[in-house]
Amino acid sequence: MQLTRLPHPSPTPDATRESLIADPGFGTVFTDHMVMIDYDEAAGGWQTPVLGPREPIALDPAASVLHYAQEIFEGLKAYRHPDGGLGLFRPEANAARFNASAERLAMPALPEELFLGAIRALLEVDGSWYPAVEGGSLYLRPFMIATEAFLGVRPAKKYKFIVIASPAGNYFKSGAKAVSIWISDYTRAAPGGTGAAKCGGNYAASLVPTGQAFAKGHDQVLFLDAAEHKWVEELGGMNLFFVFADGTVVTPPLTGTILPGITRNSLITLLTEQGLKVSEAPYSIDQWRADAASGHLVEVMACGTAAVVTAVGKVAGPDGEFTIGAGGIGQTTAALRETLVGIQTGRIADTHGWVMRV
């Protein structure tokens, strides 16, 4: 990938950087650089990538993204391996999902080599921002916005693809081993909508119900289906798995209203290899409550890039609350998290070809 490099006029001093990454939290500390690639339909498409200082983006007030929300993004992590190098977990899957989101929002596809090359280039200059905190990683946020200045309702003809990086610690502020979730009356997505696309609008729609969950003392919000408000779909930013006493596992199916998680896909593979029977099938909130009460349901896992694999201990809603098992992290969840994180960080052999070294 040809790349134009711009010097940074005032990089963060080493001592300041070390202070920032000692306890970065999630999504509030950012590295010095970013990669940006412009797209101009009239100029032949994608232009030469530029690696330069992370800085504000100049946008015309009529830029399409500000009016018609043509915006998509991805989230992935770089992990420190025992030899000191960095590894990316299934980044080509992120590239494919990015382009699927682009297609849904009438945006141009980005060649995989540009997506991966931009991420690698950023890690090469900002790898020193890797946090020393336990469970830390470098979170990468590739995104695309429509920049053409016009007010007609049509797909834009100019875009920016940008990658930024953020040292990351624990995703959940509570630090709990098992999280508590609130059943929302709001709907995240409907059939035929953008639920399967990773676009900002989906997350904007989740902010009010997520805020309600936080206000009630919970860690996340649960969305049910739009048609019947009966079937479990996903959390605000994570997929769900239900583990039963008979060794079976259920996860809600990909019907176009939930995000096709890369962690979700990986867990299906790992669970199957462990001898568990995994079904992608509808699961109702009433059945969830009944199975938890009877003891048939022994564990619930939430999964995603940011949270990795996290146990769900308690579920609450307007009709009351219930607990899964003893309310803590179960054996399957703990083992699965250990395996997945081990593969991501190079402590466990990657037999699937999931890890790309940087």
Side-chain angles (χ1 to χ4, degrees), residues 72-79 88-102 110 112 115-116 119 139-142 161 198 259-263 266 304-305 354:
I72 59 172
F73 68 95
E74 272 297 322
L76 65 161
K77 290 179 177 179
Y79 301 89
L88 295 164
F89 184 72
R90 303 188 67 182
E92 72 289 340
N94 291 97
R97 188 172 66 182
F98 190 79
N99 280 334
S101 297
L110 180 77
E112 182 178 304
F115 183 95
L116 298 178
I119 290 169
Y139 182 82
L140 295 145
R141 173 55 62 88
F161 169 76
K198 201 165 177 66
L259 191 70
I262 295 165
T263 305
S266 304
T305 298
W354 285 341

Side-chain angles (χ1 to χ4, degrees), residues 195-272:
K198 201 165 177 66
C199 59
N202 291 340
Y203 293 80
S206 74
L207 296 181
V208 167
T210 299
Q212 291 177 341
F214 291 167
K216 295 176 183 295
H218 303 284
D219 301 290
Q220 258 291 343
V221 62
L222 170 69
F223 291 108
L224 304 178
D225 73 292
E228 299 179 77
H229 208 66
K230 169 183 178 181
W231 303 103
V232 174
E233 294 211 322
E234 64 178 4
L235 301 186
M238 286 163 282
N239 298 120
L240 286 167
F241 284 82
F242 302 90
V243 184
F244 299 97
D246 60 3
T248 60
V249 180
V250 169
T251 189
L254 301 179
T255 59
T257 57
I258 69 175
L259 191 70
I262 295 165
T263 305
R264 173 189 182 276
N265 180 268
S266 304
L267 293 188
I268 290 174
T269 298
L270 294 176
L271 285 163
T272 302

Side-chain angles (χ1 to χ4, degrees), residues 11-76:
T12 303
D14 291 348
T16 303
R17 183 183 66 244
E18 292 304 313
S19 176
L20 288 170
I21 65 177
D23 186 18
F26 185 85
T28 58
V29 176
F30 299 95
T31 68
D32 280 335
H33 297 85
M34 67 183 188
V35 176
M36 184 164 62
I37 314 176
D38 285 315
Y39 177 93
D40 187 336
E41 183 178 300
W46 293 104
Q47 308 300 299
T48 300
V50 176
L51 170 65
R54 178 181 172 272
E55 59 188 4
I57 305 167
L59 281 178
D60 189 286
S64 179
V65 65
L66 302 176
H67 302 272
Y68 307 121
Q70 272 190 291
E71 182 273 352
I72 59 172
F73 68 95
E74 272 297 322
L76 65 161

Side-chain angles (χ1 to χ4, degrees), residues 112-192:
E112 182 178 304
E113 61 269 23
L114 288 181
F115 183 95
L116 298 178
I119 290 169
R120 295 175 70 97
L122 185 58
L123 289 174
E124 287 173 5
V125 296
D126 282 345
S128 59
W129 284 82
Y130 197 93
V133 64
E134 182 181 358
S137 61
L138 262 178
Y139 182 82
L140 295 145
R141 173 55 62 88
F143 63 99
M144 191 200 309
I145 59 173
T147 57
E148 183 186 359
F150 78 104
L151 297 179
V153 182
R154 61 162 172 77
K157 297 180 180 180
K158 293 182 179 180
Y159 299 86
K160 286 186 183 294
F161 169 76
I162 300 172
V163 186
I164 57 176
S166 174
N170 194 349
Y171 180 73
F172 289 108
K173 294 180 180 179
S174 70
K177 290 186 177 180
V179 298
S180 173
I181 61 178
W182 173 258
I183 305 168
S184 179
D185 290 329
Y186 284 87
T187 296
R188 176 188 173 275

